[in-house]
Amino acid sequence: MSQKEVRVRFAPSPTGPLHIGGVRTALYNYLFAKKHNGSMVLRIEDTDQNRFVQGAEDYVLESLNWCGIEFDEGVHKGGPYGPYKQSERKELYKGYAEKLIESGDAYYAFDTTEELESLRKKLETKKAANTSYSSFCRMEMVNSLTLNDQEVQLKIDSGVPYVIRFKMPENKEVRFTDIIRGDVVVNTSTLDDKVLFKSDGMPTYHLANIVDDYLMKISHVIRGEEWLPSLPLHVLLYKAFGWENKMPQFAHMPLTLKPDGKGKLSKRDGDRLGFPVFPLEWKNPQSGEMSSGFRESGYFPEAFINILAFLGWNPGTEQEIFSMDELIQAFSLERVGKAGSRFDPEKAKWYNHQYLIKKSNEELTQLYQPILKEKDIVCSDEYVSSIVGLIKERANFVTDFWEQSFFFFEAPVEYDAKMIKKGWKENTTEILNAFLSKSEGLEKYTFNNLEIAVKSVLEEKETGMGQLMMPLRLVLVGSGKGPGVIEIMELLGKEEVNNRIRTGISNIKI
Ligand code: GLU
């Protein structure tokens, strides 16, 4: 790697919520910057006013903040190369577009929408090799290559709308190296004369992106594979501006694929298969439609980051759980694969489970208490913490806790019919009554004492473990769910256990 200072940028367009692929781009940039003691810039690319979506910029900031991805410079915190929002830099781009006109690398084009439409139709009918505005047809169009200087000036002065197009060189090989994809060669005959500057006075993505990367001294451009087809144009723009020596290195990351590997992961896949594809919940400001988020689905940000890190990168070892600091240490672009990487919703849950079981019972209690409060349940932290300790192995999310522990907070109101059929025998009432009297006599309601009580009932009644434990679970929980029966009893306490046994005995009939 060259000695120059590492400066990377994340450059989202505020056209909607950030997809997990976008967060992964931000993450890889962040890891790369931190690993090389570099700087991370957040630039908002909002030159396409038609695609602007209200709230999208705030959504980006909130999402990345939730993930723990921090910026050194950017739209929200300023820095030496600001402003960091392209609409606020509007004035500077035109000069750069004009520079390219002067050097002969770009030209004014005055073609109307109708003229462009008829060009497209004509080229399609001819089955032309290149059906866009390019070297094949530019000399038949209304532009500064076909008009003389006076005609051009007249049109500009009289306010005829125009765009500035890049003059793509003819039949030239563009060579470049991508850190992930290696050497790439593209012939310019397959490329078109892209618009650099629009009739609304705004630059297009291509011009603004190159000018800003140059002015912001970006050393590495790490972005999604969908931008690879634009790279030949970008390389040619650097050359045309005479900035070749300042050109950043490029790394185009693989696509994030659907769980079955067939195509790019989309919001629709998430809706269909029941998993989020956005970091945070998003409400479409136009339609009001809600999309679920990883945060609201109960994912911890550390788990989310870990999941994203492995979507395209691997450490080359067996280790799967990485904190952000460990990721910074281990990350390298060389270990990012070329092939698209599948999003596996089950593995995502597994990651969250790993982080959940590592958290202390106290921390999980603080996360569970608000859920209980919503159900009007008020219990001490101590009680909730003991419950959490018993059930966390069975949960992927804090939101699973209720399902695993509701019986600690409320007595069963009904009993599972299948369980009754399976476990409730002629002599069950007698066995439960025997246990009840032992339970009533216990001074200290501890695990050990309960275990002794269970054993002595089994001995007295000359019966097997299942004959007592299955009915006990049924009267305590209402179903076959939950952790060990003795643990449940210890936590519920003598009075509650005895009440539930009595209620069970009088309500369950075979
Ligand atoms: N604004 C582009 C986007 O929305 C940035 C692409 C790039 O990183 O060059 O993805």
Side-chain angles (χ1 to χ4, degrees):
M1 193 157 302
S2 72
Q3 288 305 303
K4 73 176 168 181
E5 189 199 344
V6 166
R7 287 180 57 80
V8 296
R9 80 319 190 257
F10 179 55
S13 299
T15 53
L18 201 55
H19 176 270
I20 49 175
V23 189
R24 184 194 57 172
T25 301
L27 175 66
Y28 285 16
N29 274 286
Y30 175 75
L31 297 176
F32 185 78
K34 291 290 141 198
K35 169 127 194 179
H36 298 285
N37 295 317
S39 301
M40 166 89 162
V41 175
L42 176 61
R43 183 172 76 220
I44 298 293
E45 300 204 328
D46 59 346
T47 56
D48 193 346
Q49 306 281 298
N50 299 328
R51 294 181 61 218
F52 179 82
V53 171
Q54 197 67 40
E57 184 182 324
D58 288 343
Y59 181 91
V60 168
L61 290 172
E62 198 185 334
S63 301
L64 300 176
N65 189 33
W66 176 67
C67 297
I69 296 174
E70 292 159 7
F71 291 87
D72 302 292
E73 296 164 31
V75 68
H76 56 311
K77 67 189 291 190
Y81 301 96
Y84 292 91
K85 190 187 282 198
Q86 288 184 329
S87 56
E88 290 169 15
R89 303 166 67 79
K90 186 178 165 189
E91 300 313 322
L92 70 87
Y93 302 111
K94 191 163 186 209
Y96 285 97
E98 279 164 356
K99 263 191 194 173
L100 294 180
I101 292 193
E102 276 160 37
S103 64
D105 293 296
Y107 58 91
Y108 294 106
F110 302 94
D111 315 275
T112 60
T113 321
E114 294 75 40
E115 280 160 349
L116 291 173
E117 182 58 16
S118 86
L119 167 73
R120 196 183 55 79
K121 283 204 182 118
K122 198 169 92 188
L123 292 172
E124 270 175 15
T125 336
K126 272 212 243 164
K127 295 211 167 29
N130 192 334
T131 53
S132 33
Y133 204 120
S134 69
S135 59
F136 292 94
C137 64
R138 63 167 82 106
M139 295 315 284
E140 296 160 35
M141 305 302 287
V142 193
N143 55 44
S144 58
L145 303 172
T146 56
L147 303 172
N148 66 34
D149 289 355
Q150 246 176 332
E151 289 169 320
V152 170
Q153 205 50 55
L154 198 67
K155 276 193 187 292
I156 293 177
D157 292 346
S158 55
V160 175
Y162 64 86
V163 299
I164 298 177
R165 286 183 181 271
F166 184 66
K167 191 174 164 209
M168 186 56 74
E170 277 169 60
N171 194 20
K172 218 174 129 184
E173 284 191 336
V174 192
R175 290 168 189 276
F176 49 85
T177 305
D178 182 276
I179 298 174
I180 296 168
R181 274 139 227 284
D183 293 338
V184 183
V185 187
V186 176
N187 191 296
T188 53
S189 357
T190 59
L191 306 173
D192 58 339
D193 289 359
K194 279 267 179 301
V195 173
L196 300 176
F197 196 82
K198 296 178 287 181
S199 53
D200 65 0
M202 278 289 211
T204 57
Y205 155 73
H206 301 290
L207 179 67
N209 186 270
I210 288 338
V211 167
D212 285 350
D213 281 349
Y214 168 75
L215 294 177
M216 294 179 183
K217 297 199 164 47
I218 298 303
S219 64
H220 294 78
V221 168
I222 304 167
R223 62 185 172 190
E225 187 182 287
E226 63 273 28
W227 298 106
L228 193 60
S230 302
L231 190 51
L233 169 66
H234 294 181
V235 170
L236 290 170
L237 280 170
Y238 277 100
K239 286 192 181 156
F241 280 121
W243 300 336
E244 230 176 320
N245 295 336
K246 299 279 167 55
M247 189 161 79
Q249 293 186 54
F250 292 94
H252 287 84
M253 294 179 313
L255 292 177
T256 45
L257 302 177
K258 297 176 198 294
D260 65 6
K262 291 182 188 146
K264 202 174 157 188
L265 180 70
S266 72
K267 173 176 141 41
R268 240 170 299 131
D269 302 312
D271 294 344
R272 189 168 50 90
L273 301 165
F275 60 82
V277 299
F278 300 122
L280 315 180
E281 204 167 71
W282 166 259
K283 184 175 179 188
N284 183 318
Q286 265 119 46
S287 65
E289 188 198 357
M290 291 299 287
S291 301
S292 64
F294 278 84
R295 180 177 68 182
E296 292 74 13
S297 304
Y299 283 86
F300 297 117
E302 312 91 280
F304 181 57
I305 285 302
N306 209 147
I307 294 162
L308 291 187
F310 274 76
L311 263 182
W313 170 85
N314 73 76
T317 64
E318 294 293 301
Q319 187 180 344
E320 291 190 283
I321 302 297
F322 282 81
S323 66
M324 190 70 106
D325 283 343
E326 287 171 322
L327 284 173
I328 292 169
Q329 289 309 314
F331 186 77
S332 76
L333 288 172
E334 284 69 28
R335 293 212 62 86
V336 176
K338 282 199 221 11
S341 47
R342 274 185 321 116
F343 176 75
D344 178 348
E346 289 312 311
K347 189 76 187 197
K349 288 183 196 158
W350 177 86
Y351 271 112
N352 209 61
H353 176 72
Q354 300 304 315
Y355 280 90
L356 185 140
I357 55 176
K358 274 206 295 190
K359 289 198 187 289
S360 70
N361 295 347
E362 288 67 39
E363 192 179 347
L364 292 171
T365 298
Q366 293 318 312
L367 298 173
Y368 192 19
Q369 283 284 27
I371 298 177
L372 294 173
K373 202 171 161 208
E374 251 175 50
K375 298 182 189 293
D376 287 330
I377 293 170
V378 181
C379 284
S380 71
D381 284 350
E382 200 191 338
Y383 183 61
V384 177
S385 170
S386 308
I387 294 167
V388 162
L390 279 185
I391 58 161
K392 66 180 182 184
E393 274 296 340
R394 297 156 190 266
N396 292 328
F397 304 99
V398 174
T399 45
D400 294 342
F401 283 1
W402 177 251
E403 172 71 16
Q404 298 292 341
S405 68
F406 60 91
F407 44 86
F408 284 110
F409 307 100
E410 51 194 31
V413 283
E414 52 187 30
Y415 303 95
D416 184 88
K418 267 199 203 131
M419 277 280 290
I420 297 176
K421 215 168 159 199
K422 204 165 133 200
W424 204 272
K425 306 271 152 50
E426 290 287 323
N427 60 351
T428 297
T429 310
E430 188 192 325
I431 295 171
L432 280 182
N433 270 325
F435 181 77
L436 180 60
S437 67
K438 288 262 182 307
S439 168
E440 281 166 341
L442 280 183
E443 285 257 324
K444 286 199 178 123
Y445 222 64
T446 61
F447 186 93
N448 278 348
N449 287 349
L450 282 160
E451 207 173 25
I452 294 167
V454 164
K455 273 191 192 143
S456 69
V457 172
L458 298 183
E459 271 163 31
E460 256 169 49
K461 297 286 164 196
E462 293 182 344
T463 184
M465 195 68 139
Q467 306 299 312
L468 172 59
M469 297 319 242
M470 237 210 275
L472 255 185
R473 182 182 291 282
L474 189 62
V475 298
L476 296 171
V477 175
S479 70
K481 286 194 183 126
V485 175
I486 298 184
E487 277 106 337
I488 296 177
M489 290 195 288
E490 188 189 8
L491 265 182
L492 285 178
K494 181 160 143 177
E495 200 182 330
E496 182 65 20
V497 169
N498 294 347
N499 281 340
R500 290 192 191 186
I501 295 175
R502 282 186 211 106
T503 317
I505 288 173
S506 59
N507 287 348
I508 300 174
K509 304 272 176 282
I510 42 170

